[in-house]
C-alpha cells in the first residue's frame, strides 16, 4: 500500500508509541463512521470497512477535517490525540541504487507488489537512495533512523529479514520563508517504507564478487563437518550431506518419488531450496541461491553452436 496524495492528515495518539498505519489508496475522502472495539479503530468510507490499531497513525487521505473528527471521537476514554498535516508528495519519488544498477545498468528490484509499502531494498547490500528528477534550486532532506540528513542522496544498509524501515523525503524551497529547521512546511514530502528483502538473480547476472561468495559458501557447506559447522555457524547449521540424504530419501522412497512426481516436484524443491539457502546464509548472510535460466543456453547451443552441447561447458562459470 502507498501513502495517498491530496490533502493528507493523520491522527496521532499522544500517549504510547506511534507507528505509521498506511491506508488503502482506494479510500476516498470523507469518513462515514468511526468506532473502537477491543483496542482497534474501525472506520468506514463509501461502504468499505477499514481498521487500524489505535496506537497507530491513521492516514485515510480524508483531509484534516475528517482527521479532526476522528480525533474528537476517539478522545473519550482512548487517550489524547492531535492532528498533524504534511505536504503532499505530488510526484516526489526516490529510487534505490546499487552496483547492479550503477555499474551493470540493471533495473532496481521490482517493487510493485501489493504487500510492499515502498521500494524493495536488498538486504546486506549497500544502497543509495536518490531523489528522482530533483528540482533545480530546491533542497532535500531525509528523516531516517531518527536523524535528519541533508542532500538528494541517502546511504542505507538493511540487514534484518522482513525489515520495513520508515523513511521521509522532504523537498524544501529555499525561497520560502522559514522553510528550514521546522519553521515552515516542505514544498513536497514523501513518506514511505524501505522494504528489506533478499533478491535472487540468474547465475550469470551475478557480479564476479557475488558469484565467488556463493561458491565459497557452497564449498564451506560441502567441506565442513556437522559438529564443526554448528560450532562455527550456529546450532541450525546443516552441511551438504544433510541435503543429499534428504533428496535421496524423498526421491527414492518405495511408495513413490516424492520429489519428481506430480506437484511434489515444485513444492518439495522449493522447500529444499529455501532450507539450503537458509543454511548457506549462516555461512554468509549476504548470499542468496541464484537460479539457472536454461533457455539462455538452449538458444546459444542451437542458434550459435549448431546443437553442440559441448559449448555449454565452455563458460568461465564451469
Amino acid at each position: 500500500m502507498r501513502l495517498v496524495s491530496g490533502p493528507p492528515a493523520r491522527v496521532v495518539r499522544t500517549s504510547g508509541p506511534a507507528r505509521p498505519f498506511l491506508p488503502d489508496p482506494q479510500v476516498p475522502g470523507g469518513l462515514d463512521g468511526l468506532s473502537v472495539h477491543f483496542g482497534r479503530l474501525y472506520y468506514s468510507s463509501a461502504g468499505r470497512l477499514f481498521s487500524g490499531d489505535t496506537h497507530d497513525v491513521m492516514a485515510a487521505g480524508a483531509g484534516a477535517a475528517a482527521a479532526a473528527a476522528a480525533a474528537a471521537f476517539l478522545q473519550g476514554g482512548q487517550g489524547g490525540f492531535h492532528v498533524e498535516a504534511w505536504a503532499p508528495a505530488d510526484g516526489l519519488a526516490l529510487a534505490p541504487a546499487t552496483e547492479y544498477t550503477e555499474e551493470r545498468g540493471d533495473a532496481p528490484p521490482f517493487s510493485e507488489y501489493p504487500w510492499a509499502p515502498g521500494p524493495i531494498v536488498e538486504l546486506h547490500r549497500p544502497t543509495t537512495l536518490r531523489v528522482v528528477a530533483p528540482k533545480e534550486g530546491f533542497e532535500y532532506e531525509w528523516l531516517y533512523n531518527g536523524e535528519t540528513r541533508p542532500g538528494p542522496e541517502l546511504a542505507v544498509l538493511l540487514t534484518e529479514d522482513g525489515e520495513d524501515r520508515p523513511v521521509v523525503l522532504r523537498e524544501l524551497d529555499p525561497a520560502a520563508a522559514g522553510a528550514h529547521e521546522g519553521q515552515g512546511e516542505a514544498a513536497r514530502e514523501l513518506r514511505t517504507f524501505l522494504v528489506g528483502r533478499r533478491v535472487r538473480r540468474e547465475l550469470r547476472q551475478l557480479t564476479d564478487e557475488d558469484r565467488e561468495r556463493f561458491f565459497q559458501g557452497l564449498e564451506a557447506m560441502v567441506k565442513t563437518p556437522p559438529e564443526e559447522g554448528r560450532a562455527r555457524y550456529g546450532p541450525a547449521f546443516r552441511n551438504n550431506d544433510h541435503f543429499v540424504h534428504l533428496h535421496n530419501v524423498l526421491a527414492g522412497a518405495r511408495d513413490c518419488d516424492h520429489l519428481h512426481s506430480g506437484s511434489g516436484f515444485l513444492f518439495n524443491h522449493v522447500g529444499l531450496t529455501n532450507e539450503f539457502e537458509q543454511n548457506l546464509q549462516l555461512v554468509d548472510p549476504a548470499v542468496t541461491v541464484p537460479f539457472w535460466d536454461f533457455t539462455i543456453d538452449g538458444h546459444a547451443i542451437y542458434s550459435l553452436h549448431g546443437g553442440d552441447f559441448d559449448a555449454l561447458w565452455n563458460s568461465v562459470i564451469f
Side-chain angles (χ1 to χ4, degrees):
M1 294 181 289
R2 306 284 181 172
L3 285 172
V4 295
S5 58
R10 63 180 182 176
V11 178
V12 182
R13 191 174 192 271
T14 57
S15 60
R19 56 186 177 83
F21 169 60
L22 300 182
D24 189 307
Q26 302 302 318
V27 177
L31 300 179
D32 302 327
L34 290 158
S35 65
V36 176
H37 186 62
F38 290 108
R40 289 190 67 80
L41 164 68
Y42 291 85
Y43 60 100
S44 60
S45 179
R48 300 177 64 192
L49 182 66
F50 305 89
S51 69
D53 193 311
T54 54
H55 288 263
D56 291 351
V57 175
M58 190 191 75
F73 179 87
L74 291 171
Q75 195 152 5
Q78 290 294 324
F81 286 81
H82 69 275
V83 177
E84 178 180 327
W86 60 77
D90 286 343
L92 183 62
L94 61 87
T98 66
E99 71 266 36
Y100 280 94
T101 61
E102 298 292 279
E103 300 173 10
R104 303 168 65 93
D106 293 353
F110 182 79
S111 296
E112 298 302 319
Y113 298 102
W115 48 262
I120 302 294
V121 174
E122 190 171 354
L123 293 178
H124 298 282
R125 187 171 302 283
T127 301
T128 300
L129 305 179
R130 292 199 176 103
V131 178
V132 176
K135 288 185 177 181
E136 185 176 355
F138 283 72
E139 297 178 357
Y140 296 88
E141 68 178 16
W142 308 79
L143 276 65
Y144 182 70
N145 277 351
E147 299 178 0
T148 301
R149 307 181 191 180
E153 297 184 354
L154 176 69
V156 299
L157 179 65
L158 273 60
T159 58
E160 298 295 328
D161 285 318
E163 180 178 12
D164 294 347
R165 191 76 65 85
V167 64
V168 178
L169 169 61
R170 288 175 175 167
E171 180 182 75
L172 305 173
D173 184 359
H180 296 280
E181 300 178 356
Q183 299 177 4
E185 293 187 359
R188 295 188 294 175
E189 184 170 293
L190 172 67
R191 293 171 178 252
T192 187
F193 284 85
L194 306 180
V195 183
R197 295 296 186 273
R198 299 184 184 273
V199 176
R200 290 174 176 169
R201 293 180 171 86
E202 209 277 337
L203 183 61
R204 284 154 294 196
Q205 292 177 336
L206 296 174
T207 62
D208 292 343
E209 178 184 356
D210 283 352
R211 187 170 59 249
E212 286 306 310
R213 291 181 70 164
F214 167 68
F215 287 141
Q216 289 170 5
L218 186 60
E219 183 179 18
M221 286 186 61
V222 171
K223 294 183 176 180
T224 305
E227 291 300 325
E228 179 182 336
R230 285 190 283 272
R232 181 180 301 176
Y233 304 118
F237 176 80
R238 302 289 185 272
N239 71 355
N240 195 61
D241 292 345
H242 165 79
F243 296 97
V244 172
H245 173 74
L246 191 59
H247 188 278
N248 286 342
V249 168
L250 291 174
R254 288 182 177 274
D255 55 349
C256 73
D257 182 345
H258 295 273
L259 279 180
H260 305 101
S261 298
S263 60
F265 179 84
L266 176 62
F267 296 106
N268 283 315
H269 278 84
V270 167
L272 276 173
T273 301
N274 283 339
E275 185 182 354
F276 183 87
E277 184 178 64
Q278 289 167 0
N279 272 266
L280 190 64
Q281 288 162 356
L282 294 175
V283 178
D284 185 344
V287 170
T288 57
V289 173
F291 60 90
W292 173 38
D293 184 354
F294 61 86
T295 64
I296 297 174
D297 303 287
H299 173 75
I301 289 170
Y302 289 104
S303 300
L304 304 177
H305 301 287
D308 180 10
F309 274 79
D310 288 340
L312 175 65
W313 313 111
N314 291 335
S315 169
V316 66
I317 295 176
F318 298 103

mmCIF file of all heavy atoms in Angstrom, residues 10-21 34-43 50-59 70-71 73-82:
data_model
loop_
_atom_site.group_PDB
_atom_site.id
_atom_site.type_symbol
_atom_site.label_atom_id
_atom_site.label_comp_id
_atom_site.label_asym_id
_atom_site.label_seq_id
_atom_site.Cartn_x
_atom_site.Cartn_y
_atom_site.Cartn_z
ATOM 1 N N ARG A 10 -3.111 13.140 9.582
ATOM 2 C CA ARG A 10 -3.042 11.934 10.388
ATOM 3 C C ARG A 10 -3.454 12.234 11.817
ATOM 4 O O ARG A 10 -3.309 13.353 12.303
ATOM 5 C CB ARG A 10 -1.641 11.338 10.357
ATOM 6 C CG ARG A 10 -0.554 12.218 10.959
ATOM 7 C CD ARG A 10 0.786 11.521 10.869
ATOM 8 N NE ARG A 10 1.845 12.309 11.488
ATOM 9 C CZ ARG A 10 3.102 11.892 11.618
ATOM 10 N NH1 ARG A 10 3.443 10.703 11.176
ATOM 11 N NH2 ARG A 10 4.014 12.643 12.189
ATOM 12 N N VAL A 11 -3.968 11.211 12.475
ATOM 13 C CA VAL A 11 -4.326 11.308 13.877
ATOM 14 C C VAL A 11 -3.286 10.527 14.658
ATOM 15 O O VAL A 11 -3.072 9.348 14.405
ATOM 16 C CB VAL A 11 -5.730 10.726 14.136
ATOM 17 C CG1 VAL A 11 -6.060 10.801 15.614
ATOM 18 C CG2 VAL A 11 -6.757 11.487 13.320
ATOM 19 N N VAL A 12 -2.621 11.162 15.581
ATOM 20 C CA VAL A 12 -1.539 10.537 16.328
ATOM 21 C C VAL A 12 -1.938 10.432 17.786
ATOM 22 O O VAL A 12 -2.355 11.417 18.397
ATOM 23 C CB VAL A 12 -0.237 11.353 16.201
ATOM 24 C CG1 VAL A 12 0.890 10.656 16.938
ATOM 25 C CG2 VAL A 12 0.124 11.547 14.745
ATOM 26 N N ARG A 13 -1.846 9.248 18.339
ATOM 27 C CA ARG A 13 -2.109 9.061 19.762
ATOM 28 C C ARG A 13 -0.918 9.611 20.535
ATOM 29 O O ARG A 13 0.219 9.220 20.300
ATOM 30 C CB ARG A 13 -2.309 7.577 20.066
ATOM 31 C CG ARG A 13 -2.848 7.296 21.466
ATOM 32 C CD ARG A 13 -3.147 5.799 21.602
ATOM 33 N NE ARG A 13 -3.906 5.506 22.799
ATOM 34 C CZ ARG A 13 -3.361 5.239 23.966
ATOM 35 N NH1 ARG A 13 -2.061 5.259 24.090
ATOM 36 N NH2 ARG A 13 -4.113 4.965 25.010
ATOM 37 N N THR A 14 -1.161 10.508 21.462
ATOM 38 C CA THR A 14 -0.067 11.203 22.122
ATOM 39 C C THR A 14 0.541 10.405 23.263
ATOM 40 O O THR A 14 1.624 10.721 23.721
ATOM 41 C CB THR A 14 -0.553 12.558 22.662
ATOM 42 O OG1 THR A 14 -1.659 12.332 23.543
ATOM 43 C CG2 THR A 14 -0.994 13.454 21.528
ATOM 44 N N SER A 15 -0.142 9.386 23.756
ATOM 45 C CA SER A 15 0.425 8.554 24.811
ATOM 46 C C SER A 15 0.761 7.190 24.231
ATOM 47 O O SER A 15 -0.033 6.595 23.518
ATOM 48 C CB SER A 15 -0.563 8.402 25.968
ATOM 49 O OG SER A 15 -1.762 7.807 25.528
ATOM 50 N N GLY A 16 1.952 6.690 24.526
ATOM 51 C CA GLY A 16 2.372 5.403 23.989
ATOM 52 C C GLY A 16 3.031 5.565 22.636
ATOM 53 O O GLY A 16 2.953 6.615 22.001
ATOM 54 N N PRO A 17 3.716 4.522 22.175
ATOM 55 C CA PRO A 17 4.433 4.610 20.899
ATOM 56 C C PRO A 17 3.475 4.686 19.723
ATOM 57 O O PRO A 17 2.401 4.090 19.733
ATOM 58 C CB PRO A 17 5.242 3.307 20.861
ATOM 59 C CG PRO A 17 4.454 2.358 21.707
ATOM 60 C CD PRO A 17 3.843 3.193 22.793
ATOM 61 N N ALA A 18 3.853 5.444 18.718
ATOM 62 C CA ALA A 18 3.060 5.551 17.495
ATOM 63 C C ALA A 18 3.892 5.049 16.330
ATOM 64 O O ALA A 18 5.076 5.328 16.235
ATOM 65 C CB ALA A 18 2.635 6.995 17.249
ATOM 66 N N ARG A 19 3.290 4.279 15.456
ATOM 67 C CA ARG A 19 3.972 3.831 14.250
ATOM 68 C C ARG A 19 3.022 4.016 13.076
ATOM 69 O O ARG A 19 1.804 4.021 13.250
ATOM 70 C CB ARG A 19 4.411 2.369 14.361
ATOM 71 C CG ARG A 19 3.302 1.393 14.675
ATOM 72 C CD ARG A 19 3.854 -0.013 14.904
ATOM 73 N NE ARG A 19 2.820 -0.952 15.280
ATOM 74 C CZ ARG A 19 2.030 -1.581 14.421
ATOM 75 N NH1 ARG A 19 2.159 -1.354 13.132
ATOM 76 N NH2 ARG A 19 1.112 -2.428 14.830
ATOM 77 N N PRO A 20 3.547 4.197 11.865
ATOM 78 C CA PRO A 20 2.676 4.539 10.742
ATOM 79 C C PRO A 20 1.685 3.430 10.412
ATOM 80 O O PRO A 20 2.000 2.253 10.467
ATOM 81 C CB PRO A 20 3.658 4.754 9.592
ATOM 82 C CG PRO A 20 4.954 5.049 10.254
ATOM 83 C CD PRO A 20 4.948 4.245 11.513
ATOM 84 N N PHE A 21 0.490 3.830 10.092
ATOM 85 C CA PHE A 21 -0.524 2.917 9.568
ATOM 86 C C PHE A 21 -0.845 3.393 8.163
ATOM 87 O O PHE A 21 -1.378 4.476 7.973
ATOM 88 C CB PHE A 21 -1.778 2.936 10.441
ATOM 89 C CG PHE A 21 -2.961 2.235 9.827
ATOM 90 C CD1 PHE A 21 -2.882 0.888 9.514
ATOM 91 C CD2 PHE A 21 -4.126 2.914 9.555
ATOM 92 C CE1 PHE A 21 -3.961 0.241 8.945
ATOM 93 C CE2 PHE A 21 -5.211 2.271 8.986
ATOM 94 C CZ PHE A 21 -5.127 0.933 8.681
ATOM 95 N N LEU A 34 -17.046 5.916 12.581
ATOM 96 C CA LEU A 34 -15.876 5.523 13.352
ATOM 97 C C LEU A 34 -16.335 4.759 14.581
ATOM 98 O O LEU A 34 -17.368 5.068 15.173
ATOM 99 C CB LEU A 34 -15.086 6.755 13.808
ATOM 100 C CG LEU A 34 -14.345 7.549 12.732
ATOM 101 C CD1 LEU A 34 -14.085 8.957 13.220
ATOM 102 C CD2 LEU A 34 -13.043 6.858 12.397
ATOM 103 N N SER A 35 -15.573 3.743 14.976
ATOM 104 C CA SER A 35 -15.873 3.039 16.216
ATOM 105 C C SER A 35 -14.595 2.414 16.738
ATOM 106 O O SER A 35 -13.637 2.215 15.999
ATOM 107 C CB SER A 35 -16.942 1.963 16.002
ATOM 108 O OG SER A 35 -16.465 0.955 15.137
ATOM 109 N N VAL A 36 -14.579 2.125 18.023
ATOM 110 C CA VAL A 36 -13.439 1.472 18.652
ATOM 111 C C VAL A 36 -13.929 0.189 19.299
ATOM 112 O O VAL A 36 -14.920 0.185 20.026
ATOM 113 C CB VAL A 36 -12.785 2.384 19.704
ATOM 114 C CG1 VAL A 36 -11.656 1.648 20.410
ATOM 115 C CG2 VAL A 36 -12.263 3.655 19.058
ATOM 116 N N HIS A 37 -13.247 -0.915 19.003
ATOM 117 C CA HIS A 37 -13.670 -2.207 19.538
ATOM 118 C C HIS A 37 -12.428 -3.019 19.863
ATOM 119 O O HIS A 37 -11.598 -3.274 18.990
ATOM 120 C CB HIS A 37 -14.538 -2.942 18.514
ATOM 121 C CG HIS A 37 -15.141 -4.219 19.031
ATOM 122 N ND1 HIS A 37 -16.016 -4.241 20.096
ATOM 123 C CD2 HIS A 37 -14.987 -5.500 18.636
ATOM 124 C CE1 HIS A 37 -16.388 -5.492 20.319
ATOM 125 N NE2 HIS A 37 -15.767 -6.273 19.460
ATOM 126 N N PHE A 38 -12.277 -3.408 21.127
ATOM 127 C CA PHE A 38 -11.129 -4.190 21.583
ATOM 128 C C PHE A 38 -9.810 -3.537 21.165
ATOM 129 O O PHE A 38 -8.893 -4.188 20.673
ATOM 130 C CB PHE A 38 -11.198 -5.624 21.049
ATOM 131 C CG PHE A 38 -12.284 -6.443 21.680
ATOM 132 C CD1 PHE A 38 -13.413 -6.788 20.966
ATOM 133 C CD2 PHE A 38 -12.184 -6.852 23.003
ATOM 134 C CE1 PHE A 38 -14.422 -7.535 21.552
ATOM 135 C CE2 PHE A 38 -13.184 -7.601 23.586
ATOM 136 C CZ PHE A 38 -14.314 -7.941 22.870
ATOM 137 N N GLY A 39 -9.731 -2.221 21.348
ATOM 138 C CA GLY A 39 -8.480 -1.524 21.126
ATOM 139 C C GLY A 39 -8.151 -1.227 19.683
ATOM 140 O O GLY A 39 -7.075 -0.725 19.388
ATOM 141 N N ARG A 40 -9.074 -1.525 18.757
ATOM 142 C CA ARG A 40 -8.814 -1.221 17.351
ATOM 143 C C ARG A 40 -9.805 -0.183 16.850
ATOM 144 O O ARG A 40 -10.961 -0.154 17.252
ATOM 145 C CB ARG A 40 -8.909 -2.475 16.483
ATOM 146 C CG ARG A 40 -7.765 -3.439 16.702
ATOM 147 C CD ARG A 40 -7.763 -4.544 15.666
ATOM 148 N NE ARG A 40 -7.476 -4.068 14.329
ATOM 149 C CZ ARG A 40 -6.255 -3.810 13.871
ATOM 150 N NH1 ARG A 40 -5.213 -3.947 14.658
ATOM 151 N NH2 ARG A 40 -6.070 -3.407 12.637
ATOM 152 N N LEU A 41 -9.301 0.664 15.978
ATOM 153 C CA LEU A 41 -10.120 1.687 15.354
ATOM 154 C C LEU A 41 -10.714 1.128 14.067
ATOM 155 O O LEU A 41 -9.986 0.618 13.208
ATOM 156 C CB LEU A 41 -9.262 2.915 15.040
ATOM 157 C CG LEU A 41 -9.853 3.935 14.065
ATOM 158 C CD1 LEU A 41 -11.042 4.633 14.704
ATOM 159 C CD2 LEU A 41 -8.801 4.937 13.646
ATOM 160 N N TYR A 42 -12.020 1.204 13.931
ATOM 161 C CA TYR A 42 -12.699 0.779 12.709
ATOM 162 C C TYR A 42 -13.346 2.008 12.081
ATOM 163 O O TYR A 42 -14.041 2.771 12.759
ATOM 164 C CB TYR A 42 -13.763 -0.279 13.008
ATOM 165 C CG TYR A 42 -13.187 -1.598 13.439
ATOM 166 C CD1 TYR A 42 -12.853 -1.827 14.769
ATOM 167 C CD2 TYR A 42 -12.950 -2.607 12.513
ATOM 168 C CE1 TYR A 42 -12.301 -3.037 15.169
ATOM 169 C CE2 TYR A 42 -12.401 -3.819 12.908
ATOM 170 C CZ TYR A 42 -12.085 -4.027 14.234
ATOM 171 O OH TYR A 42 -11.538 -5.223 14.626
ATOM 172 N N TYR A 43 -13.110 2.212 10.810
ATOM 173 C CA TYR A 43 -13.724 3.345 10.142
ATOM 174 C C TYR A 43 -14.214 2.906 8.773
ATOM 175 O O TYR A 43 -13.625 2.039 8.127
ATOM 176 C CB TYR A 43 -12.752 4.523 10.013
ATOM 177 C CG TYR A 43 -11.487 4.244 9.241
ATOM 178 C CD1 TYR A 43 -11.348 4.634 7.916
ATOM 179 C CD2 TYR A 43 -10.417 3.599 9.855
ATOM 180 C CE1 TYR A 43 -10.182 4.388 7.217
ATOM 181 C CE2 TYR A 43 -9.246 3.346 9.167
ATOM 182 C CZ TYR A 43 -9.135 3.744 7.843
ATOM 183 O OH TYR A 43 -7.981 3.489 7.160
ATOM 184 N N PHE A 50 -12.459 -0.385 7.089
ATOM 185 C CA PHE A 50 -11.019 -0.454 7.292
ATOM 186 C C PHE A 50 -10.758 -0.410 8.791
ATOM 187 O O PHE A 50 -11.596 0.044 9.567
ATOM 188 C CB PHE A 50 -10.314 0.720 6.600
ATOM 189 C CG PHE A 50 -10.642 0.833 5.144
ATOM 190 C CD1 PHE A 50 -11.734 1.575 4.727
ATOM 191 C CD2 PHE A 50 -9.883 0.180 4.191
ATOM 192 C CE1 PHE A 50 -12.053 1.675 3.386
ATOM 193 C CE2 PHE A 50 -10.191 0.271 2.850
ATOM 194 C CZ PHE A 50 -11.280 1.024 2.440
ATOM 195 N N SER A 51 -9.583 -0.880 9.197
ATOM 196 C CA SER A 51 -9.282 -0.883 10.621
ATOM 197 C C SER A 51 -7.811 -0.612 10.847
ATOM 198 O O SER A 51 -6.976 -0.795 9.963
ATOM 199 C CB SER A 51 -9.663 -2.227 11.256
ATOM 200 O OG SER A 51 -8.810 -3.255 10.794
ATOM 201 N N GLY A 52 -7.488 -0.180 12.047
ATOM 202 C CA GLY A 52 -6.107 0.056 12.422
ATOM 203 C C GLY A 52 -5.990 0.102 13.929
ATOM 204 O O GLY A 52 -6.962 0.369 14.634
ATOM 205 N N ASP A 53 -4.797 -0.172 14.436
ATOM 206 C CA ASP A 53 -4.547 -0.102 15.866
ATOM 207 C C ASP A 53 -4.664 1.350 16.321
ATOM 208 O O ASP A 53 -4.159 2.257 15.669
ATOM 209 C CB ASP A 53 -3.143 -0.642 16.156
ATOM 210 C CG ASP A 53 -2.926 -0.906 17.629
ATOM 211 O OD1 ASP A 53 -3.230 -0.011 18.429
ATOM 212 O OD2 ASP A 53 -2.448 -1.996 17.962
ATOM 213 N N THR A 54 -5.315 1.575 17.439
ATOM 214 C CA THR A 54 -5.482 2.949 17.905
ATOM 215 C C THR A 54 -4.169 3.557 18.371
ATOM 216 O O THR A 54 -4.098 4.754 18.632
ATOM 217 C CB THR A 54 -6.505 3.015 19.053
ATOM 218 O OG1 THR A 54 -6.116 2.099 20.073
ATOM 219 C CG2 THR A 54 -7.882 2.666 18.551
ATOM 220 N N HIS A 55 -3.112 2.771 18.488
ATOM 221 C CA HIS A 55 -1.790 3.309 18.785
ATOM 222 C C HIS A 55 -1.089 3.775 17.515
ATOM 223 O O HIS A 55 -0.012 4.343 17.572
ATOM 224 C CB HIS A 55 -0.919 2.248 19.470
ATOM 225 C CG HIS A 55 -1.327 1.962 20.873
ATOM 226 N ND1 HIS A 55 -0.729 2.543 21.954
ATOM 227 C CD2 HIS A 55 -2.298 1.165 21.364
ATOM 228 C CE1 HIS A 55 -1.296 2.107 23.063
ATOM 229 N NE2 HIS A 55 -2.247 1.261 22.733
ATOM 230 N N ASP A 56 -1.698 3.474 16.365
ATOM 231 C CA ASP A 56 -1.053 3.766 15.092
ATOM 232 C C ASP A 56 -1.405 5.159 14.593
ATOM 233 O O ASP A 56 -2.289 5.837 15.115
ATOM 234 C CB ASP A 56 -1.488 2.764 14.018
ATOM 235 C CG ASP A 56 -0.944 1.384 14.302
ATOM 236 O OD1 ASP A 56 -0.118 1.245 15.215
ATOM 237 O OD2 ASP A 56 -1.359 0.454 13.613
ATOM 238 N N VAL A 57 -0.727 5.514 13.527
ATOM 239 C CA VAL A 57 -1.092 6.708 12.792
ATOM 240 C C VAL A 57 -2.201 6.338 11.824
ATOM 241 O O VAL A 57 -2.103 5.341 11.125
ATOM 242 C CB VAL A 57 0.125 7.246 12.007
ATOM 243 C CG1 VAL A 57 -0.271 8.416 11.129
ATOM 244 C CG2 VAL A 57 1.219 7.663 12.972
ATOM 245 N N MET A 58 -3.267 7.130 11.780
ATOM 246 C CA MET A 58 -4.335 6.891 10.824
ATOM 247 C C MET A 58 -4.246 7.945 9.739
ATOM 248 O O MET A 58 -4.353 9.134 10.016
ATOM 249 C CB MET A 58 -5.710 6.960 11.488
ATOM 250 C CG MET A 58 -6.830 6.477 10.561
ATOM 251 S SD MET A 58 -8.460 6.841 11.202
ATOM 252 C CE MET A 58 -8.541 8.595 10.884
ATOM 253 N N ALA A 59 -4.017 7.521 8.501
ATOM 254 C CA ALA A 59 -3.917 8.453 7.383
ATOM 255 C C ALA A 59 -4.841 7.966 6.290
ATOM 256 O O ALA A 59 -4.449 7.221 5.416
ATOM 257 C CB ALA A 59 -2.486 8.538 6.875
ATOM 258 N N ALA A 70 -12.117 12.431 13.685
ATOM 259 C CA ALA A 70 -11.674 11.166 14.265
ATOM 260 C C ALA A 70 -11.025 11.400 15.617
ATOM 261 O O ALA A 70 -11.252 10.655 16.575
ATOM 262 C CB ALA A 70 -10.703 10.474 13.317
ATOM 263 N N ALA A 71 -10.212 12.448 15.711
ATOM 264 C CA ALA A 71 -9.547 12.744 16.975
ATOM 265 C C ALA A 71 -10.561 13.060 18.064
ATOM 266 O O ALA A 71 -10.448 12.585 19.194
ATOM 267 C CB ALA A 71 -8.587 13.916 16.786
ATOM 268 N N PHE A 73 -13.661 12.088 18.197
ATOM 269 C CA PHE A 73 -14.424 10.886 18.508
ATOM 270 C C PHE A 73 -13.643 9.968 19.439
ATOM 271 O O PHE A 73 -14.186 9.392 20.376
ATOM 272 C CB PHE A 73 -14.765 10.150 17.216
ATOM 273 C CG PHE A 73 -15.542 8.868 17.432
ATOM 274 C CD1 PHE A 73 -16.922 8.884 17.518
ATOM 275 C CD2 PHE A 73 -14.882 7.661 17.549
ATOM 276 C CE1 PHE A 73 -17.631 7.710 17.720
ATOM 277 C CE2 PHE A 73 -15.582 6.483 17.749
ATOM 278 C CZ PHE A 73 -16.966 6.507 17.835
ATOM 279 N N LEU A 74 -12.345 9.843 19.174
ATOM 280 C CA LEU A 74 -11.540 8.880 19.907
ATOM 281 C C LEU A 74 -11.063 9.388 21.256
ATOM 282 O O LEU A 74 -10.601 8.614 22.077
ATOM 283 C CB LEU A 74 -10.317 8.486 19.067
ATOM 284 C CG LEU A 74 -10.618 7.660 17.818
ATOM 285 C CD1 LEU A 74 -9.365 7.520 16.977
ATOM 286 C CD2 LEU A 74 -11.140 6.287 18.195
ATOM 287 N N GLN A 75 -11.169 10.672 21.488
ATOM 288 C CA GLN A 75 -10.566 11.236 22.683
ATOM 289 C C GLN A 75 -11.209 10.700 23.958
ATOM 290 O O GLN A 75 -10.553 10.521 24.965
ATOM 291 C CB GLN A 75 -10.652 12.759 22.660
ATOM 292 C CG GLN A 75 -9.744 13.406 23.682
ATOM 293 C CD GLN A 75 -9.302 14.781 23.247
ATOM 294 O OE1 GLN A 75 -9.746 15.282 22.236
ATOM 295 N NE2 GLN A 75 -8.426 15.390 24.011
ATOM 296 N N GLY A 76 -12.486 10.417 23.905
ATOM 297 C CA GLY A 76 -13.154 9.922 25.094
ATOM 298 C C GLY A 76 -12.716 8.513 25.451
ATOM 299 O O GLY A 76 -13.060 7.568 24.770
ATOM 300 N N GLY A 77 -11.948 8.383 26.519
ATOM 301 C CA GLY A 77 -11.559 7.075 27.021
ATOM 302 C C GLY A 77 -10.450 6.393 26.251
ATOM 303 O O GLY A 77 -10.064 5.289 26.588
ATOM 304 N N GLN A 78 -9.914 7.032 25.223
ATOM 305 C CA GLN A 78 -8.885 6.378 24.424
ATOM 306 C C GLN A 78 -7.553 7.123 24.465
ATOM 307 O O GLN A 78 -6.662 6.829 23.698
ATOM 308 C CB GLN A 78 -9.352 6.265 22.965
ATOM 309 C CG GLN A 78 -10.486 5.281 22.755
ATOM 310 C CD GLN A 78 -10.050 3.858 23.031
ATOM 311 O OE1 GLN A 78 -8.930 3.469 22.742
ATOM 312 N NE2 GLN A 78 -10.931 3.065 23.615
ATOM 313 N N GLY A 79 -7.417 8.098 25.350
ATOM 314 C CA GLY A 79 -6.174 8.854 25.404
ATOM 315 C C GLY A 79 -6.241 10.071 24.509
ATOM 316 O O GLY A 79 -7.193 10.278 23.767
ATOM 317 N N GLY A 80 -5.232 10.920 24.580
ATOM 318 C CA GLY A 80 -5.233 12.148 23.808
ATOM 319 C C GLY A 80 -4.781 11.933 22.377
ATOM 320 O O GLY A 80 -3.949 11.084 22.084
ATOM 321 N N PHE A 81 -5.337 12.716 21.474
ATOM 322 C CA PHE A 81 -4.957 12.661 20.071
ATOM 323 C C PHE A 81 -4.723 14.081 19.576
ATOM 324 O O PHE A 81 -5.301 15.042 20.089
ATOM 325 C CB PHE A 81 -6.060 12.013 19.215
ATOM 326 C CG PHE A 81 -6.167 10.525 19.388
ATOM 327 C CD1 PHE A 81 -6.841 9.984 20.469
ATOM 328 C CD2 PHE A 81 -5.591 9.666 18.474
ATOM 329 C CE1 PHE A 81 -6.942 8.623 20.641
ATOM 330 C CE2 PHE A 81 -5.683 8.292 18.634
ATOM 331 C CZ PHE A 81 -6.361 7.770 19.711
ATOM 332 N N HIS A 82 -3.876 14.224 18.575
ATOM 333 C CA HIS A 82 -3.748 15.513 17.923
ATOM 334 C C HIS A 82 -3.647 15.286 16.422
ATOM 335 O O HIS A 82 -3.325 14.190 15.962
ATOM 336 C CB HIS A 82 -2.526 16.289 18.426
ATOM 337 C CG HIS A 82 -1.215 15.705 18.008
ATOM 338 N ND1 HIS A 82 -0.595 14.690 18.696
ATOM 339 C CD2 HIS A 82 -0.402 15.985 16.952
ATOM 340 C CE1 HIS A 82 0.546 14.377 18.111
ATOM 341 N NE2 HIS A 82 0.689 15.142 17.044
#
